[in-house]
């Protein structure tokens, strides 16, 4: 109880201090960073909101007023929505001319109509595109930025290799119509400052996909969007369900404009089948991260922003595959300080794949769109919702925070006398990882020291012994390991959130063990910890 008060007090405080008061739009890019007009980094912490299913209306409006949903998005710490739309919303006149009410009626969704009437009476008799604009306006009124994501052509659940929406030339994917639709959408929202980006096409895929056509059409789409609306970031996805951007390494994209290009990639547990569950988590994490760096992560080093525009998990926490993936993913996303869009906001769908009222277990809102599905998960991503570093954010000099992905917390000391614990990263101490592999508290003589199996790790001023040297070990490179006498130990967390050392987990090839509690990442940060220190 006491400690949860401490945390919530700190998180309110950190909101006050970290959140930039105003973002000077429009955005542009500066090497791998997305920055505002003043050159200050803006980290995109987005959530996906679905509008591409058959109804063509942003999900959830039968459950809650649009303004309540927008406010909820902001209060969960997101500064941005990736709003999905199907091409036909703006290219098929017989669809575009429908009102929201007619669209529900045509699909026999009478219960949703009464919900919409009750919660969003001002939207129900708008045309579909006007309703879409109303959602964007509501987000804008709540200072939430929007990325318009062309998710599919023909409205419906996405994506399979054979759904006719996968690649240029597929049954429902006429490239000319696509350019028309992108142009229309870019034009409609030209002048809406909170629309900061357009994601040109979601998850290119299927038997027709090829690199030559990718350049031809994506460059064409990018130019079309830029001429219709030069204020938006132009966001390009790769091949193979947005996993593969490796081809950019050999042939850069050739555009007439600069400072607006962002790449996007997707990554789920199921992107690698059941590997997480059937393999050794350290080995799988190491292998899959290396693969992602080769396919798309390398773009950061080449000076391009990379938005992870979809990732997510079953928030009930009962999928071993998803759980292990997320522990590894969050470490990676923190280390690279990535811009992201979580899949998904949606608590439930009006109609998905023929079923009414489908519960979305990956959704941060619950079925009713009234509460959050899993507050533990929101805590896990909260540290990633503000930038660790980047242009204009050097509040203090570069240091490390010790991030713990399975809780989303960081290693900190409450006072010199208390043992080290996990707490909000906004209150994290500043650590230095020295060439001698000690982890020292910046500005002090103290370093982190292991005391033995099952015992709390301590701060000490004797920093030359083997038990104050920390190696980053295992294929995952997420264990911090030291030596006490003859014991090799790993940093860990006990049930009371105290930092301890235990026997290192899963260093062999077993697949049944779970090293999650021992996974830490040393993350570069220039965030100021001063407000944390002022509380001590
Ligand atoms: C436009 O939408 C209507 C209604 O869904 C559909 O019947 C028609 O085939 C669509 N037209 C095109 C050209 O896709
Ligand atoms: C880039 O595009 C321009 C005009 O679209 C063209 O003239 C130029 O040759 C292209 N450059 C490369 C390297 O393809
Ligand atoms: C939330 O997620 C955690 C961790 O994955 C899980 O243990 C817990 O049961 C989940 N809570 C709910 C309400 O689903
Ligand atoms: C939705 O809300 C209603 C009314 O508050 C409640 O009775 C019901 O249990 C909720 N359903 C779910 C699935 O959360």
């Amino acid at each position: 109880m006491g400690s949860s008060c401490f945390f919530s007090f700190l998180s309110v405080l950190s909101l006050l201090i970290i959140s930039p008061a105003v973002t000077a739009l429009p955005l542009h890019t500066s090497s791998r960073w997305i920055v505002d007009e003043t050159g200050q980094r803006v980290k995109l912490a987005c959530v996906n909101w679905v509008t591409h299913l058959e109804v063509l209306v942003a999900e959830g409006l039968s459950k809650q007023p649009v303004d309540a949903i927008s406010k909820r998005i902001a209060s969960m710490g997101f500064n941005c929505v990736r709003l999905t739309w199907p091409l036909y919303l703006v290219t098929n006149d017989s669809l575009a001319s429908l009102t929201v009410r007619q669209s529900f009626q045509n699909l026999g969704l009478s219960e949703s109509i009464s919900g919409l009437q009750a919660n969003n009476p001002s939207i129900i008799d708008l045309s579909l595109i006007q309703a879409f604009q109303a959602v964007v306006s509501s987000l804008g009124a709540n200072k939430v930025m929007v990325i318009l994501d062309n998710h599919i052509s023909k409205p419906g659940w996405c994506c399979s290799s054979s759904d006719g929406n996968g690649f240029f030339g597929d049954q429902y994917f006429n490239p000319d119509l696509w350019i028309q639709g992108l142009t229309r959408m870019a034009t409609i929202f030209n002048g809406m400052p909170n629309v900061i980006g357009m994601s040109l096409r979601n998850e290119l895929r299927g038997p027709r996909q090829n690199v030559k056509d990718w350049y031809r059409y994506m460059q064409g789409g990018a130019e079309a969007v830029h001429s219709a609306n030069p204020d938006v970031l132009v966001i390009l996805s790769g091949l193979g369900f947005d996993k593969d951007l490796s081809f950019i390494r050999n042939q850069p994209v050739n555009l007439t404009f600069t400072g607006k290009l962002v790449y996007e990639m997707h990554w789920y547990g199921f992107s690698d089948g059941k590997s997480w569950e059937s393999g050794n988590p350290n080995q799988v994490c190491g292998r899959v991260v290396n693969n992602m760096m080769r396919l798309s992560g390398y773009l950061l080093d080449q000076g391009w922003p990379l938005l992870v525009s979809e990732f997510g998990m079953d928030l009930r926490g009962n999928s071993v595959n998803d759980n292990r993936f997320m522990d590894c993913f969050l470490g990676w996303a923190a280390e690279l300080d990535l811009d992201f869009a979580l899949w998904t906001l949606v608590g439930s769908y009006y109609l998905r794949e023929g079923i009414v009222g489908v519960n979305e277990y990956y959704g941060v809102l619950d079925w009713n769109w009234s509460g959050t599905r899993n507050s533990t998960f929101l805590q896990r991503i909260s540290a990633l919702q503000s930038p660790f570093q980047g242009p204009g954010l050097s509040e203090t000099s570069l240091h490390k925070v010790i991030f713990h992905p399975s809780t989303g917390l960081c290693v900190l000391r409450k006072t010199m006398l208390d043992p080290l614990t996990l707490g909000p990263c906004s209150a994290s101490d500043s650590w230095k990882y020295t060439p001698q592999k000690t982890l020292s508290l910046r500005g002090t003589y103290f370093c982190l020291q292991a005391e033995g199996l099952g015992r709390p790790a301590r701060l000490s001023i004797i920093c030359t012994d083997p038990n104050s040297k920390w190696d980053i070990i295992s294929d995952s490179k997420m264990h911090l390991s030291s030596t006490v006498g003859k014991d090799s130990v790993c940093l860990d967390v006990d049930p009371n959130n105290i930092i301890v050392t235990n026997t290192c987990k899963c260093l062999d090839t077993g697949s049944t063990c779970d090293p999650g509690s021992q996974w830490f990442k040393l993350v570069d940060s220039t965030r100021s910890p001063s407000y944390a220190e002022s509380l001590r």
Side-chain angles (χ1 to χ4, degrees):
M1 186 67 192
S3 73
S4 74
C5 279
F6 172 72
F7 290 159
S8 53
F9 174 54
L10 279 180
S11 51
V12 168
L13 193 72
S14 67
L15 274 181
L16 292 175
I17 294 174
I18 293 182
S19 308
V22 198
T23 301
L25 301 172
L27 304 181
H28 57 275
T29 66
S30 171
S31 77
R32 63 147 289 192
W33 310 106
I34 295 168
V35 297
D36 71 7
E37 282 291 272
T38 69
Q40 165 141 331
R41 180 177 184 201
V42 175
K43 181 169 184 173
L44 297 179
C46 317
V47 65
N48 281 276
W49 190 353
V50 168
T51 313
H52 68 273
L53 303 193
E54 286 83 348
V55 188
L56 284 154
V57 176
E59 300 290 335
L61 301 187
S62 62
K63 307 279 195 205
Q64 290 290 322
V66 63
D67 192 56
I69 298 174
S70 299
K71 286 193 161 56
R72 178 54 75 99
I73 291 168
S75 77
M76 290 188 292
F78 299 104
N79 62 8
C80 151
V81 160
R82 180 174 180 253
L83 189 60
T84 70
W85 58 281
L87 191 64
Y88 290 2
L89 174 63
V90 287
T91 59
N92 180 328
D93 292 335
S94 65
L95 280 178
S97 62
L98 293 177
T99 66
V100 168
R101 186 192 300 275
Q102 287 165 339
S103 183
F104 280 103
Q105 271 164 354
N106 289 349
L107 294 160
L109 299 170
S110 51
E111 208 170 298
S112 292
I113 296 177
S114 47
L116 224 102
Q117 184 78 60
N119 286 298
N120 287 291
S122 67
I123 288 183
I124 190 162
D125 291 311
L126 297 181
S127 70
L128 293 173
I129 188 70
Q130 285 169 334
F132 189 82
Q133 288 170 282
V135 169
V136 173
S137 297
S138 162
L139 290 166
N142 289 285
K143 301 201 164 36
V144 177
M145 297 178 282
V146 175
I147 292 170
L148 303 172
D149 162 54
N150 176 224
H151 208 73
I152 197 165
S153 298
K154 185 176 189 282
W157 185 248
C158 191
C159 300
S160 91
S161 293
S162 56
D163 62 13
N165 289 272
F167 200 73
F168 307 101
D170 280 3
Q171 186 179 0
Y172 305 111
F173 198 168
N174 175 325
D176 297 330
L177 197 66
W178 175 69
I179 298 272
Q180 258 180 45
L182 288 177
T183 304
R184 248 176 233 175
M185 209 62 167
T187 307
I188 292 172
F189 289 96
N190 189 341
M192 289 279 279
N194 71 310
V195 174
I196 53 94
M198 284 183 60
S199 162
L200 299 200
R201 185 70 172 197
N202 180 67
E203 298 196 352
L204 295 165
R205 61 191 176 276
R208 272 200 180 74
Q209 60 179 337
N210 68 84
V211 167
K212 188 161 160 279
D213 283 348
W214 187 94
Y215 283 97
R216 177 177 171 199
Y217 293 118
M218 292 302 257
Q219 289 177 170
E223 294 291 354
V225 165
H226 185 72
S227 10
N229 185 344
D231 286 344
V232 289
L233 298 172
V234 170
I235 307 172
L236 305 186
S237 67
L239 298 173
F241 293 87
D242 213 352
K243 273 177 75 174
D244 186 2
L245 284 159
S246 59
F247 48 91
I248 305 288
R249 197 191 286 272
N250 301 325
Q251 186 183 345
V253 165
N254 180 14
L255 298 172
T256 60
F257 59 93
T258 56
K260 290 283 169 182
L261 180 62
V262 173
Y263 291 100
E264 65 180 315
M265 60 88 86
H266 292 177
W267 191 4
Y268 290 100
F270 57 73
S271 306
D272 299 282
K274 285 279 174 196
S275 301
W276 295 96
E277 192 176 325
S278 61
N280 170 274
N282 281 315
Q283 290 176 352
V284 177
C285 179
R287 174 162 49 85
V288 172
V289 165
N290 284 343
N291 196 37
M292 280 298 168
M293 289 309 291
R294 184 179 62 78
L295 293 175
S296 58
Y298 76 92
L299 287 163
L300 296 166
D301 295 329
Q302 294 200 343
W304 300 106
L306 178 65
L307 168 72
V308 184
S309 57
E310 288 187 21
F311 73 100
M313 67 178 287
D314 187 325
L315 297 179
R316 292 171 295 183
N318 53 14
S319 159
V320 172
N321 210 56
D322 279 4
N323 294 347
R324 291 179 178 180
F325 155 72
M326 192 57 75
D327 285 341
C328 176
F329 173 84
L330 291 180
W332 182 75
E335 182 175 39
L336 297 178
D337 204 1
L338 290 166
D339 299 277
F340 66 84
L342 176 72
W343 189 271
T344 169
L345 174 70
V346 173
S348 53
Y349 299 97
Y350 308 119
L351 174 72
R352 175 180 139 180
E353 298 171 288
I355 302 166
V356 175
V358 173
N359 201 346
E360 172 56 274
Y361 297 115
Y362 279 53
V364 288
L365 295 181
D366 64 13
W367 187 85
N368 279 327
W369 289 66
S370 59
T372 50
R373 189 175 293 275
N374 193 323
S375 55
T376 313
F377 180 75
L378 287 172
Q379 175 189 276
R380 284 182 77 184
I381 61 168
S382 66
L384 307 188
Q385 288 174 317
S386 35
F388 285 106
Q389 52 172 325
L393 294 172
S394 304
E395 294 164 353
T396 180
S397 58
L398 188 64
H399 60 273
K400 303 279 185 192
V401 299
I402 309 176
F403 178 67
H404 187 246
S406 81
T407 54
L409 300 174
C410 286
V411 176
L412 55 83
R413 67 188 160 137
K414 280 188 197 162
T415 70
M416 286 311 296
L417 299 176
D418 290 320
L420 293 160
T421 64
L422 289 178
C425 295
S426 55
S428 171
D429 289 289
S430 304
W431 298 89
K432 262 180 28 188
Y433 189 53
T434 67
Q436 296 74 37
K437 299 187 176 174
T438 62
L439 276 163
S440 58
L441 266 184
R442 209 176 53 168
T444 74
Y445 294 106
F446 290 103
C447 63
L448 184 67
Q449 193 164 76
E451 299 248 291
L453 291 172
R455 300 181 56 191
R458 295 274 176 203
L459 291 173
S460 166
I461 51 168
I462 302 166
C463 299
T464 49
D465 290 348
N467 62 338
S468 48
K469 183 178 156 212
W470 298 89
D471 286 303
I472 299 172
I473 64 159
S474 90
D475 288 356
S476 67
K477 301 197 187 72
M478 285 172 71
H479 292 267
L480 284 167
S481 172
S482 189
T483 315
V484 183
K486 288 197 294 273
D487 293 326
S488 170
V489 299
C490 275
L491 207 63
D492 204 339
V493 183
D494 83 1
N496 299 317
N497 258 359
I498 307 291
I499 306 298
V500 296
T501 53
N502 284 319
T503 305
C504 301
K505 291 180 186 166
C506 317
L507 296 187
D508 61 12
T509 57
S511 64
T512 53
C513 62
D514 189 340
S517 72
Q518 294 186 346
W519 277 357
F520 292 87
K521 262 293 176 195
L522 299 179
V523 176
D524 282 338
S525 173
T526 58
R527 277 188 202 169
S528 171
S530 57
Y531 36 92
E533 270 159 21
S534 69
L535 292 175
R536 298 207 177 104

